[in-house]
Amino acid sequence: MSGRRGGERWSPPLRRRRPGPDWAAQTPTWRQARPALIADALKRASARPSGNWFVVGASRDVRAGGRPFGRTVGGVEVVLWRSADGGLRAGPGICPHLGAPLRDSRVVCGTLVCHWHGLALDGSPSAGWRPFPVHDDGVLVWVRLDEVGGEEPGERPAVPARPATGRGVDAVFTTVGRCEPQDVVANRLDPWHGSWFHPYSFVDLTVVREPTGGEDDAFVVDVSFRVAGRLVVPVRAEFTAPGPRTVVMRITDGEGATSVVETHATPLTGRDHARPRTAVVEAVVAFSDRPGFALARAAAPVLRPLMRRTAGRLWHDDLAYAERRWTLRSTGRFPG
Ligand code: FES
Ligand SMILES: [Fe+2]
């Protein structure tokens, strides 16, 4: 029965790539990767409204009945936890009484109890503490910080379209670098570096359409993901920057169409900090309409660490570049 299902011929997602040019013999992309084009795409992304919403982490990082989750965003300490019914609560992470770190406090029956003198917070305003608007999109959690964002507040964050809830396998990977969000976004708005800088993951990369700044402000890229040796998965992918700190890669054709990789760059330090730090929160929501994908969903707890490891290797290299970009920028040595 293997190889066939319901009478339809089953085609394997993997292709064996014909032996191609080796790394140094591939077509150079530096002439197409014009610095001005990347800078313009970054400028347009930076001008899009965020409504002051910031991604703080994975939904599953904030567990019901678990410890509170703490994160500093734009220099503001934030604490998140879940109420007894699983609803998300968020607010300043500094206890309004004498400043204890609420991230180290305890959640008792959905109430955050300060471990210093027992101030209890149920998520509503109390003792000078005011909650922050918070949103759980099922994969990521977002907090609205109007002081940090400084934009017109938005009712909801702009959550990218994803495969329907429960139909994809999602994994969230977080890492932190010494740079600003724009360095992370700029790196993502240069798809041309893929098969040169990450030959272990990407081969045969061609940018088939560049963003124009119009309605459809996207890069369209044909690329093969390298699975092992010469085994690859060819896809067409689209890169867009729907907000100032987010780049979305969506597979539009080929295996796993509609799957998305969302890269969110969240500033940890305040504006103009001398040593800025940025968290990269990357959500992968993979989907396939293959019958076997139901099995993959069942195996999600096993797949997740694997997906995170793949993202981890890419981001180890990309973050090194983002950090370098910041260092060069901040010392006036960035080319151009
Ligand atoms: S510092 Fe939190 S209750 Fe006193
Ligand atoms: Fe990269």
Side-chain angles (χ1 to χ4, degrees), residues 75 83 118 122 165 289 300 334:
S83 61
D122 65 5
T165 314
D289 53 10
F334 191 69

Side-chain angles (χ1 to χ4, degrees), residues 243-264:
R245 295 178 288 274
T246 300
V247 178
V248 178
M249 185 202 78
R250 173 171 289 105
I251 297 180
T252 55
D253 271 300
E255 182 65 23
T258 75
S259 298
V260 293
V261 177
E262 296 171 22
T263 305
H264 300 275

Side-chain angles (χ1 to χ4, degrees), residues 187-188 190-191 193-194 197-198 200 202 314-315 317-319 321:
N187 175 279
R188 269 292 190 257
D190 162 19
H193 76 266
F197 193 46
H198 309 293
Y200 47 84
F202 306 115
L314 284 169
W315 270 111
D317 293 348
D318 276 335
L319 208 53
Y321 174 78

Side-chain angles (χ1 to χ4, degrees), residues 244-321:
R245 295 178 288 274
T246 300
V247 178
V248 178
M249 185 202 78
R250 173 171 289 105
I251 297 180
T252 55
D253 271 300
E255 182 65 23
T258 75
S259 298
V260 293
V261 177
E262 296 171 22
T263 305
H264 300 275
T266 300
L268 303 183
T269 41
R271 210 179 282 272
D272 300 324
H273 195 280
R275 305 269 294 152
R277 293 170 75 239
T278 294
V280 179
V281 182
E282 190 155 272
V284 182
V285 187
F287 173 74
S288 166
D289 53 10
R290 290 175 174 279
F293 199 69
L295 270 181
R297 276 199 299 276
V302 181
L303 279 176
R304 260 183 210 114
L306 202 70
M307 290 161 78
R308 272 197 289 263
R309 200 150 54 228
T310 310
R313 178 160 186 201
L314 284 169
W315 270 111
H316 177 267
D317 293 348
D318 276 335
L319 208 53
Y321 174 78

Side-chain angles (χ1 to χ4, degrees), residues 31-155:
R31 282 182 203 282
Q32 284 127 51
R34 277 111 57 216
L37 185 145
I38 298 166
D40 285 351
L42 176 65
K43 206 183 282 174
R44 290 194 299 275
S46 307
R48 290 185 183 122
S50 73
N52 301 330
W53 287 95
F54 295 84
V55 166
V56 288
S59 295
R60 64 175 71 84
D61 284 343
V62 193
R63 283 193 214 106
R67 292 174 53 86
F69 178 81
R71 165 85 78 207
T72 301
V73 178
V76 174
E77 277 184 48
V78 179
V79 67
L80 298 102
W81 75 98
R82 292 202 187 267
S83 61
D85 64 2
L88 205 53
R89 302 283 179 266
I94 301 174
C95 180
H97 175 224
L98 283 170
L102 293 173
R103 70 173 71 186
D104 297 331
S105 294
R106 283 176 55 189
V107 181
V108 182
C109 300
T111 297
L112 183 66
V113 181
C114 180
H115 57 308
W116 269 59
H117 311 92
L119 175 72
L121 298 166
D122 65 5
S124 54
S126 173
W129 186 94
R130 295 258 168 291
F132 294 138
V134 65
H135 182 76
D136 185 349
D137 69 28
V139 177
L140 298 171
V141 291
W142 307 66
V143 170
R144 200 183 83 196
L145 299 169
D146 294 336
E147 261 176 55
V148 177
E151 295 176 26
E152 189 67 31
E155 189 66 24

